[in-house]
Amino acid sequence: MTAPRIAGTTSDEIREKSRLRHTLRRFDLLFFLICTIVGLDTIGAVAKHGAQGFTWLVFLAVFFFVPYGLLMAELGAAFPVEGGPYVWCRLAFGRFVAALVTVLYWCSNPLWLGGTLTILAVSAFGEFFTPLHGIARLLFALAFIWLAVASAIVSVRLGRWVPSLGAFVRMAVVGIFTLSVLLYALRNGIGGFGPAAFAPGYAVFIAVVPVLIFNYVGFELPSSASEEMLDPRRDVPRAIAWSGLGAVLLYGAPILAILLVLPREQVTGVGGFLDAAKQVFTVYGGSVSADGTATLTGAGKVLGAVTAAAFIWALLSSGATWLIGADRALAIAGLDGAAPRALGHFSRRSGTPIGANLLSGAMATLVMLLAFRLSAGSAERYFTIALGVAISTTTMAYLGIFPALVRLRRTRPEVPRPYRVPAGAAGAWVVSALTTFWAGVATVWLLWPGLGTDWFGATGDPDASLPAGVGRAAFELTQIVPIVVLLAVGVLFYALGTPTRRRAASDRAHATGDGGQ
């Protein structure tokens, strides 16, 4: 079945899309989605909030993740067009809104790659192999970033193995870790916590919701490559269903295991997962001192090194997978006149958007250099601030994507929908409203941490939600200034797309005979 075209299809679009390779099968989509959604980088950021973090994980699985999956299953099956999120937003709200949304959606990924993923990879390598300083740290970070970019540049036939291997690595690491926790518990007992520890509280709620939303998003990403799939109308909904179930398990098991092994005060956003792994791997060789410091020896040290290498690969595959999808959305925006035309070029050889890929690599490198410069030696502070920017730009982008479902139900009712959100128009409104609400509140709580700390009977200091050693004014600048800059970039990109839009208008005029005089 032919994918619906966006208004203004041009000879440029036909030429560029002729270079796409149709190779993605349902198997590829399933593992692409697992690699997209299950990010080991944020497990520690959730676990550090204690048992309540697990409570809110389950809560949002029901009230965000499921509605989100239903929404994306319909959009991905009904509008299987290259560029997915950009096209849906373009059809629903116009090119200018789509331009702003796409810049936020795309740019969050090089920010994330050059920020949190890189610092975690550097920290993991330093903890389990050898500490990195100076030029060694810089070279490692550059290799990490540009290997991810290279994975997005190569053809889909080769690049699809990066998320597939990334998914297998995640499942293996989580499985080994969970088994090791059971062995550790049999030998040493567990720290444990009573049912009261799971009782929800507002302060943890506003702190953990943005991270959990970030954990759970990504269902739409493969749809950025819809015209490189063999059967998107059938495969997208089924891949979403199976990967969604797997993601909840792959998040829930390690977070609960960390809570059983490590005291809450020892869990950090940077080291949470690997710190817990290091401790439980002492069952294979090693010891834990009175202050909680774990030292691995023998088989434990070998398994720790293998896990650290797998963890770094999982981080790299996460970054590469998101670049594969988000760069295509930006490329289609360039092809459609919502961004510079150069970004819409697809390679004849690989069928991938080289210009968008290289721009992502350059931005990730800049973010990494800036972050290393400004972090003042505090990996935890750098991680928290960089993660906040990456999440807020992502959640703001979804404010333009989630409402597209109800809009397109009304404006494009004739489009065949192989899968529809249940309960008709009411069901569509419910899933759009729920997902948009959570994206909105996550954005607000990221931009102003601690907002409402004294609401609903809770007490505390709103500034306690800030990273240690960072004042309110300084933190707000780190969050708000990048968003303002990115929105300005979106306006600039739209302006630079003017020649493409004019050429598209001219093509339409000639096609209808209005401009042939």
Side-chain angles (χ1 to χ4, degrees):
M1 188 177 294
T2 304
R5 292 183 175 181
I6 57 176
T9 299
T10 66
S11 56
D12 276 358
E13 180 180 343
I14 294 171
R15 181 174 63 254
E16 295 293 343
K17 287 189 174 182
S18 69
R19 300 167 182 172
L20 300 177
R21 308 288 190 270
H22 304 277
T23 58
L24 296 176
R25 300 176 183 272
R26 187 179 304 168
F27 173 88
D28 301 311
L29 298 187
L30 174 60
F31 288 105
F32 191 102
L33 281 169
I34 290 176
C35 190
T36 298
I37 296 171
V38 182
L40 300 183
D41 55 306
T42 52
I43 286 177
V46 176
K48 74 177 183 179
H49 294 288
Q52 279 193 56
F54 186 81
T55 299
W56 293 120
L57 175 84
V58 175
F59 176 85
L60 285 177
V62 175
F63 292 101
F64 172 76
F65 197 47
V66 171
Y68 168 55
L70 297 175
L71 186 153
M72 289 304 169
E74 176 169 330
L75 287 177
F79 301 92
V81 185
E82 195 78 4
Y86 166 77
V87 176
W88 305 336
C89 191
R90 157 83 161 86
L91 292 172
F93 306 113
R95 190 183 278 113
F96 180 71
V97 172
L100 299 181
V101 166
T102 301
V103 165
L104 290 171
Y105 184 80
W106 159 75
C107 199
S108 64
N109 296 289
L111 287 173
W112 182 49
L113 174 61
T116 56
L117 295 184
T118 298
I119 193 60
L120 280 170
V122 170
S123 298
F125 192 90
E127 178 69 21
F128 286 86
F129 297 101
T130 182
L132 297 171
H133 303 287
I135 189 65
R137 182 177 70 165
L138 177 62
L139 291 176
F140 180 90
L142 287 172
F144 179 83
I145 289 170
W146 284 96
L147 184 55
V149 174
S151 301
I153 288 177
V154 299
S155 67
V156 174
R157 183 176 60 85
L158 297 175
R160 62 180 175 167
W161 290 107
V162 173
S164 294
L165 291 174
F168 280 117
V169 165
R170 281 162 174 74
M171 291 186 286
V173 167
V174 170
I176 292 171
F177 174 70
T178 305
L179 175 62
S180 300
V181 168
L182 295 176
L183 296 175
Y184 183 89
L186 290 174
R187 175 180 294 185
N188 303 292
I190 57 176
F193 37 76
F198 290 93
Y202 184 78
V204 172
F205 179 60
I206 64 176
V208 78
V209 161
V211 180
L212 288 172
I213 296 296
F214 188 65
N215 280 353
Y216 278 146
V217 295
F219 278 144
E220 77 290 337
L221 198 68
S223 292
S224 290
S226 284
E227 293 179 52
E228 297 167 73
M229 301 177 190
L230 295 180
D231 191 1
R233 293 187 182 276
R234 290 173 56 87
D235 292 346
V236 166
R238 296 181 182 183
I240 286 176
W242 284 108
S243 63
L245 177 61
V248 172
L249 296 175
L250 290 171
Y251 272 131
I255 289 174
L256 189 58
I258 289 173
L259 297 175
L260 292 171
V261 172
L262 289 183
R264 178 176 172 181
E265 61 273 10
Q266 292 184 19
V267 182
T268 67
V270 174
F273 179 77
L274 288 181
D275 286 345
K278 194 172 184 179
Q279 183 159 329
V280 300
F281 287 166
T282 57
V283 299
Y284 308 110
S287 61
V288 181
S289 65
D291 65 358
T293 302
T295 301
L296 296 176
T297 59
K301 187 173 184 178
V302 172
L303 185 58
V306 171
T307 299
F311 181 79
I312 293 171
W313 173 257
L315 298 177
L316 188 147
S317 62
S318 287
T321 303
W322 275 92
L323 289 184
I324 289 171
D327 286 356
R328 279 165 168 76
L330 180 64
I332 294 301
L335 197 56
D336 188 49
R341 175 63 181 84
L343 298 177
H345 173 70
F346 284 77
S347 167
R348 290 181 181 276
R349 182 175 181 178
S350 65
T352 56
I354 303 296
N357 295 150
L358 293 177
L359 182 60
S360 290
M363 177 163 285
T365 301
L366 179 63
V367 169
M368 178 269 293
L369 293 173
L370 184 63
F372 280 170
R373 174 91 176 166
L374 299 178
S375 62
S378 172
E380 182 70 20
R381 183 187 309 166
Y382 165 29
F383 175 86
T384 302
I385 293 174
L387 181 62
V389 175
I391 297 176
S392 61
T393 51
T394 301
T395 54
M396 285 187 69
Y398 284 117
L399 293 175
I401 297 173
F402 291 154
L405 176 68
V406 291
R407 173 71 175 170
L408 292 174
R409 277 276 189 103
R410 188 171 75 251
T411 61
R412 300 256 176 164
E414 79 286 353
V415 174
R417 288 167 166 79
Y419 172 83
R420 298 175 69 94
V421 173
W429 273 100
V430 167
V431 299
S432 287
L434 279 173
T435 52
T436 304
F437 169 77
W438 289 117
V441 297
T443 302
V444 171
W445 286 331
L446 281 165
L447 296 182
W448 196 269
L451 178 68
T453 297
D454 295 323
W455 299 355
F456 308 114
T459 59
D461 178 11
D463 289 349
S465 300
L466 299 173
V470 180
R472 173 68 64 178
F475 179 84
E476 297 304 333
L477 286 175
T478 66
Q479 303 300 301
I480 294 174
V481 170
I483 289 174
V484 171
V485 170
L486 289 178
L487 290 174
V489 170
V491 175
L492 175 63
F493 274 16
Y494 182 79
L496 294 175
T498 301
T500 304
R501 296 195 299 275
R502 288 175 177 167
R503 188 161 54 250
S506 176
D507 280 2
R508 289 197 302 274
H510 281 288
T512 58
D514 295 333
Q517 300 300 322

